[in-house]
Amino acid sequence: MLSVPRMAGLMKAGALLGSALALAEALSINPRSLRAKLTADRGVSSDDLEAAAAALEARAGQMIDHAAKLRAECQPAEVAAA
């Protein structure tokens, strides 16, 4: 489906994932096919959006896990100082 909001959403997902290559990998396509989707030469399907959303959720989970590890490192120092 050719839709500006879908293309813009896919572009934003790529930025949040860190690169177009990461987005292409999440969609299981090559970067050239991704460019075609982002320039409206090909449509962005619901499956594309679902795959991008899943990749974002996985990245978010990794960030939350790492944030918890960082906080855990702060705990002992604060307890020892008290």
Side-chain angles (χ1 to χ4, degrees), residues 3 8-10 22 28 38 44 52 67 73:
S3 164
L10 210 53
S28 298
L38 298 178
V44 177
E73 285 297 316

Side-chain angles (χ1 to χ4, degrees), residues 28-41:
S28 298
I29 60 176
N30 63 48
R32 185 175 180 180
S33 294
L34 177 61
R35 281 192 301 277
K37 289 178 179 291
L38 298 178
T39 59
D41 290 336

Side-chain angles (χ1 to χ4, degrees), residues 2-66:
L2 292 177
S3 164
V4 173
R6 283 176 176 242
M7 291 184 308
L10 210 53
M11 280 188 237
K12 177 77 175 195
L16 292 171
L17 289 172
S19 70
L21 181 59
L23 178 58
E25 288 174 359
L27 299 178
S28 298
I29 60 176
N30 63 48
R32 185 175 180 180
S33 294
L34 177 61
R35 281 192 301 277
K37 289 178 179 291
L38 298 178
T39 59
D41 290 336
R42 292 190 187 159
V44 177
S45 70
S46 294
D47 288 341
D48 293 332
L49 297 178
E50 287 288 339
L56 288 171
E57 289 169 343
R59 175 67 57 95
Q62 292 170 346
M63 289 179 173
I64 290 168
D65 290 346
H66 189 65

